[in-house]
Amino acid sequence: MTMGPEQADQVLRRHRLDPPEVDPPALHPPRTRRWRRPWIAAAAAMVTVLGVASVLAWSQRTTDVQVPPLLEYQPAAASDPQNLLRELADVAERQAVVGSGSVHYAKTRTWSFTTDATTRGDTIGTDIREGTVELWERPDGSGYRTTKGGQLPFDTADTVAPQTDPPAHSTGPVPPDLRDLPVRDAGSAVVDRLDARKPVGELLDDVADAWVKRSGDPTTAAAVLRFLADRHGLQVAGTTTDRAGRAAVAVSAEVTLGRGWFPHQRRYLLIDPTTGFPLALEHVALAADAQALGIRVATPVTVHYTLFERGGWVEQVRQPL
């Protein structure tokens, strides 16, 4: 949707603060004869009715939502998620470590659904937030991160340079218990950090976050897949092609958030069947809160995804993989 400069100036992101309210100027209508007042009252009543009808229509209106199409899944050879995940873990364990060196490199690409609003807070449409992150991390947690909007170094294990517009899944320093660990021991350490008490749908998010830290590591891939195989509530979604055109097989689970724009969702973890390495995480909304959104959005709809484009080890910070 193309808008002029004046209209663009009126559009602010929802996360910005609204400007302070200003009392409208006092109006002094001209004096009228008494016999006209019933007609004025009737006209005012009609305007009020039309205004209420407009508000109701606005609150129920739909819009052309700019989102990627849902992925299409074909039946997989394996229908049992536990067996599938264990087989993929065996495949991952037979892979070689990607790259060499002491610096871990990861490149991720994200897409997120967001909305546009006026300065009064009225939703006027939807928008897309995309981001690409490249991260190099030394064993002590220091390193270098580039984003689609700029480059940000970080020098210590505990602090990361601030970002004015971080991507949906920004990454920080390596957790202390993963630093200086040999690659062969990293998988068990990653799993030890996962909370098995969480619903399995939420664990798919945690596994994705853990994979960013150790992408390209066969032992981590095998460990997290075996961890998921011991959980209940997963389903085999089938085979598909991810947003980067790579063949994948997916497991999925529902997530109930309780509140927010999309309180009921389904997570899809896409895995490379030839390596056992995670490829992507998809968030699909199954229900939308029109009141919270300020606009009606038809579901199911993709509201976020993360692609793990590349990961492994290099010799030094800012070295490509």
Side-chain angles (χ1 to χ4, degrees):
M1 178 176 64
T2 303
M3 60 179 67
E6 293 182 1
Q7 185 180 3
D9 288 342
Q10 296 175 1
V11 178
L12 296 176
R13 297 289 182 194
R14 183 176 295 278
H15 63 266
R16 292 187 179 177
L17 297 177
D18 288 340
E21 295 183 359
V22 179
D23 292 334
L27 300 179
H28 301 286
R31 296 178 61 183
T32 59
R33 296 181 184 273
R34 183 179 299 276
W35 63 271
R36 291 184 180 177
R37 289 179 181 173
W39 294 100
I40 295 174
M46 181 62 70
V47 171
T48 300
V49 171
L50 291 175
V52 171
S54 298
V55 170
L56 292 175
W58 174 267
S59 65
Q60 298 299 319
R61 76 185 184 92
T62 58
T63 185
D64 292 331
V65 180
Q66 301 299 315
V67 295
L70 295 170
L71 295 180
E72 295 183 1
Y73 295 91
Q74 304 299 322
S79 59
D80 180 79
Q82 280 72 33
N83 290 338
L84 173 63
L85 289 168
R86 292 189 180 100
E87 290 174 2
L88 290 170
D90 292 341
V91 171
E93 210 163 38
R94 294 194 293 268
Q95 304 306 308
V97 175
V98 178
S100 62
S102 60
V103 177
H104 183 259
Y105 168 81
K107 180 181 180 181
T108 59
R109 182 157 57 91
T110 63
W111 179 97
S112 291
F113 175 97
T114 186
T115 62
D116 286 331
T118 66
T119 56
R120 297 179 62 86
D122 298 323
T123 300
I124 61 173
T126 63
D127 202 356
I128 294 172
R129 172 171 291 181
E130 294 179 286
T132 299
V133 180
E134 289 185 275
L135 176 67
W136 290 264
E137 289 179 324
R138 302 184 185 93
D140 65 357
S142 66
Y144 199 86
R145 176 172 60 200
T146 69
T147 70
K148 188 175 182 180
Q151 299 179 337
L152 295 168
F154 55 96
D155 301 319
T156 69
D158 299 319
T159 61
V160 179
Q163 289 180 254
T164 56
D165 188 20
H169 281 177
S170 61
T171 55
V174 176
D177 56 353
L178 298 186
R179 297 174 196 152
D180 300 318
L181 278 176
V183 171
R184 64 180 180 274
D185 297 330
S188 59
V190 169
V191 168
D192 288 344
R193 294 178 59 85
L194 299 175
D195 187 353
R197 298 168 297 179
K198 285 186 175 182
V200 69
E202 296 180 20
L203 284 173
L204 292 181
D205 285 335
D206 294 344
V207 165
D209 290 340
W211 181 244
V212 172
K213 299 293 185 185
R214 305 297 293 188
S215 53
D217 173 21
T219 61
T220 296
V224 296
L225 294 182
R226 290 193 178 107
F227 172 82
L228 290 175
D230 292 334
R231 314 276 78 79
H232 297 287
L234 286 169
Q235 297 178 5
V236 177
T239 61
T240 189
T241 301
D242 75 359
R243 310 285 175 180
R246 302 170 294 186
V249 61
V251 294
S252 70
E254 292 190 9
V255 175
T256 300
L257 304 177
R259 62 179 182 175
W261 287 356
F262 305 104
H264 189 200
Q265 302 182 16
R266 179 170 282 276
R267 302 283 195 264
Y268 294 82
L269 181 65
L270 279 61
I271 306 164
D272 187 334
T274 62
T275 65
F277 289 177
L279 294 175
L281 181 72
E282 297 260 336
H283 291 196
V284 174
L286 305 179
D289 187 336
Q291 184 175 3
L293 280 164
I295 205 166
R296 290 176 63 109
V297 176
T299 56
V301 60
T302 303
V303 294
H304 177 79
Y305 67 74
T306 300
L307 292 176
F308 313 118
E309 289 199 342
R310 202 175 306 159
W313 275 262
V314 294
E315 298 291 340
Q316 57 189 359
V317 169
R318 302 182 69 179
Q319 176 183 336
L321 179 64

